Amino acid sequence: MPAKPRRPRPRADRNRLWGGRFAAGPAAIMAAINASIDVDRRLYAEDIAGSRAHCSMLMAQGIIARADGHKILKGLDRIEREIAAGRFRFAQRLEDIHMHIEARLQTLIGPAAGRLHTARSRNDQVATDFRLWIRSRLDRLDREFQALQRALVAQAERHAATPMPGFTHLQVAQPVTFGHHLLAYVEMFGRDRDRARDCRARLNESPLGAAALAGTSYPIDRSATARALGFARPMANSIDAVSDRDFALEFLALAAIAGVHLSRLAEEIVLWTSPGFAFVRLSDAFTTGSSIMPQKRNPDAAELVRAKSGRLFGNFQSLLVALKGLPLAYGKDMQEDKAPVFEAADTLGLALAATTGMVADMKADARAMRRMAEADYATATDLADWLVKTLELPFRQAHETTGRIVALAAERGVALAELALADLRAIEPRIDRRVFRALTIEASLASRGSFGGTAPRRVRTAARRAKRTVG
Ligand code: ARG
């Protein structure tokens, strides 16, 4: 029989349905979607720390031979040095950081490497690594929040008595001091630090030894590995240990809330540096120019902090959605937990550093702040209060009378204290010259001496106290 002409065969590695545009076959696509190494390589130090603790425990429990254990520990040391020095080869094929380190260990020490994964799974391994990573990031975050608080407190001390108009509805409300306003942010970032501390305390339990999900038949010592890694105790339930990501959610939630705080401050800096306010001047180091308008001093860093808070909210949302409805225990969906956390950590760190820089360097313009406070009748409430306290008018009537006085000042284009006594008397005949003392910004500030109020003496004490609590 004559041989049939050979038809060109379709490339075996190409999917007939959707492979047309792909040079690589489904195996490569699978590897691409499956690989997390580009993200989770940041866990290398934590992965090695976890492996060290696990290996030492296996040796102590007689689960692996001492000689093998020592080889493993030496190999891990070397791998850590290689990665730290950028001398380590990463490849998509090896999926994640855990496989990379194990494969390298195999090359370095041979079959003994295979004993490290006894009584362990990547499921408890990755949960352990991730907790360790977030724990140390939280510790650093505390110092970053602290640096910002210190910059704010230093400005607050400088400006404990510097008047600025306080706002509600972004309309001039009552005089406050610039220091008092800045200390409000010190409180906010203090709560952020508290949240980070809470998160740290709750995450500090060890999943290691939960293995895939059910625990293990080897006589492991979970308390020993927990202790070695600085965890307070082993997690109580092996299924929870491998499926829980509350600690990542809490981290993202606290980052998102800090993002709210940072963006509010950033927005105020944008307003304050705009010529309509001109309350604050940023240093050249934190200002950019325009390529076309030579007069411009743009607060780009503040605008970027304002915008970057959006990423923090998005990252929280993205992990909430990834975890929602996931059946217990581990699912590969959970591999998607790291990117949002790393991104949030980087974004928050950068936003904090930029805000600290802006705050530390900024120069307040006390004259501009006072000008707006006076021009926009910030002491109108003080006038009404004077009418109540001195003339014993009912507050509602005092409010009405003050309204008419403000309208007159507005008509004349003068500050309240610039009106003539006769003009005031035309509206309320019993007013006498003592009223002028109540109309000054200084009198208004000094009068608000209630606890937590803006009186300069209160602000000075508050700044001193803040200095102590900020550390
Ligand atoms: N790269 C994985 C992750 O980050 C590690 C755990 C893999 N576990 C598994 N059963 N495939 O989640």
Side-chain angles (χ1 to χ4, degrees):
M1 227 160 79
K4 277 193 195 147
R6 287 182 65 184
R7 278 195 289 132
R9 283 176 45 193
R11 268 176 54 190
D13 60 355
R14 214 159 71 169
N15 186 294
R16 283 167 194 250
L17 290 178
W18 46 260
R21 61 173 296 231
F22 295 95
I29 304 287
M30 183 59 224
I33 192 166
N34 208 26
S36 56
I37 187 60
D38 290 342
V39 174
D40 63 25
R41 54 198 282 179
R42 287 179 72 167
L43 295 176
Y44 84 88
E46 289 75 14
D47 195 68
I48 290 173
S51 287
R52 276 195 192 109
H54 185 65
C55 177
S56 304
M57 181 277 292
L58 293 176
M59 289 158 74
Q61 296 296 104
I63 299 170
I64 65 170
R66 297 231 152 237
D68 286 339
H70 286 302
K71 273 195 220 162
I72 291 170
L73 292 174
K74 261 186 73 184
L76 290 171
D77 287 347
R78 176 156 169 194
I79 294 170
E80 188 169 37
R81 284 196 303 274
E82 287 176 354
I83 301 179
R87 282 188 282 106
F88 191 90
R89 282 262 302 274
F90 292 97
Q92 293 274 315
R93 184 175 49 81
L94 286 172
E95 233 182 282
D96 57 25
I97 188 64
H98 325 294
M99 310 261 271
H100 272 80
I101 291 174
E102 199 177 320
R104 180 67 184 144
L105 196 59
Q106 196 86 39
T107 313
L108 289 175
I109 69 169
R115 301 202 182 274
L116 174 59
H117 215 53
T118 314
R120 185 176 79 168
S121 150
R122 275 189 292 159
N123 297 351
D124 58 339
Q125 192 178 352
V126 74
T128 305
D129 296 0
F130 203 23
R131 278 173 192 263
L132 290 174
W133 191 91
I134 293 184
R135 189 178 72 186
S136 71
R137 191 64 189 87
L138 284 170
D139 292 342
R140 197 142 55 81
L141 206 51
D142 186 66
R143 295 193 291 277
E144 292 164 353
F145 278 124
Q146 183 190 44
L148 175 52
Q149 285 183 305
R150 282 180 180 162
L152 287 162
V153 172
Q155 291 282 13
E157 279 188 306
R158 207 166 296 142
H159 295 291
T162 305
M164 81 175 249
F167 298 89
T168 60
H169 314 267
L170 198 55
Q171 304 291 322
V172 170
Q174 294 172 347
V176 296
T177 77
F178 190 46
H180 193 53
H181 192 100
L182 294 177
L183 287 177
Y185 285 100
V186 174
E187 296 293 316
M188 292 182 229
F189 295 120
R191 287 192 295 273
D192 291 330
R193 288 176 75 183
D194 288 346
R195 267 182 284 275
R197 215 169 293 138
D198 291 347
C199 174
R200 189 195 197 284
R202 233 181 332 273
L203 73 67
N204 205 28
E205 293 188 343
S206 173
L208 198 57
L213 80 164
T216 173
S217 58
Y218 295 94
I220 59 170
D221 182 348
R222 292 193 58 204
S223 298
T225 46
R227 221 177 304 117
L229 294 169
F231 288 118
R233 64 191 79 83
M235 289 180 77
N237 180 298
S238 62
I239 296 176
D240 183 48
V242 294
S243 61
D244 169 49
R245 292 295 182 273
D246 288 0
F247 59 97
L249 288 175
E250 287 188 24
F251 178 83
L252 291 169
L254 75 89
I257 295 173
V260 171
H261 298 156
L262 286 165
S263 68
R264 292 181 83 170
L265 177 53
E267 167 64 9
E268 298 216 277
I269 292 174
V270 171
L271 285 174
W272 293 341
T273 54
S274 133
F277 284 77
F279 288 1
V280 151
R281 189 177 166 90
L282 293 176
S283 67
D284 288 355
F286 284 94
T287 310
T288 51
S290 156
S291 56
I292 174 167
M293 298 163 282
Q295 85 284 9
K296 290 286 280 277
R297 289 179 61 82
N298 295 332
D300 290 35
E303 295 170 285
L304 288 164
V305 168
R306 188 172 61 183
K308 278 177 191 292
S309 61
R311 296 190 189 214
L312 299 174
F313 312 153
N315 285 318
F316 182 32
Q317 181 71 6
S318 122
L319 187 57
L320 282 171
V321 174
L323 294 173
K324 176 193 165 299
L326 265 197
L328 305 185
Y330 178 86
K332 198 62 178 246
D333 314 52
M334 293 168 71
Q335 178 164 280
E336 292 294 308
D337 58 359
K338 283 161 224 77
V341 166
F342 292 158
E343 142 88 355
D346 295 346
T347 300
L348 182 54
L350 187 57
L352 281 169
T355 307
T356 305
M358 283 188 283
V359 169
D361 289 9
M362 71 187 183
K363 292 257 181 303
D365 185 337
R367 290 225 317 267
M369 292 195 273
R370 174 183 293 275
R371 207 179 307 126
M372 189 187 286
E374 285 175 350
D376 287 293
Y377 317 112
T379 56
T381 314
D382 301 273
L383 173 54
D385 287 341
W386 186 88
L387 295 171
V388 169
K389 290 180 193 163
T390 316
L391 306 185
E392 294 182 352
L393 294 188
F395 184 78
R396 280 287 155 243
Q397 195 188 326
H399 186 287
E400 160 74 21
T401 304
T402 304
R404 287 166 55 205
I405 295 173
V406 167
L408 180 66
E411 198 186 302
R412 303 256 168 96
V414 295
L416 287 178
E418 287 165 357
L419 285 169
L421 184 59
D423 291 329
L424 297 173
R425 281 194 169 146
I427 292 169
E428 167 52 64
R430 289 185 295 152
I431 292 180
D432 60 60
R433 52 178 59 266
R434 287 174 300 170
V435 77
F436 290 106
R437 257 184 283 145
L439 293 183
T440 66
I441 303 266
E442 271 64 28
S444 167
L445 288 174
S447 74
R448 297 217 156 66
S450 52
F451 179 80
T454 198
R457 64 184 176 83
R458 284 288 189 186
V459 178
R460 264 181 227 106
T461 320
R464 227 175 298 126
R465 193 170 0 94
K467 231 173 167 171
R468 254 180 285 121
T469 50
V470 163

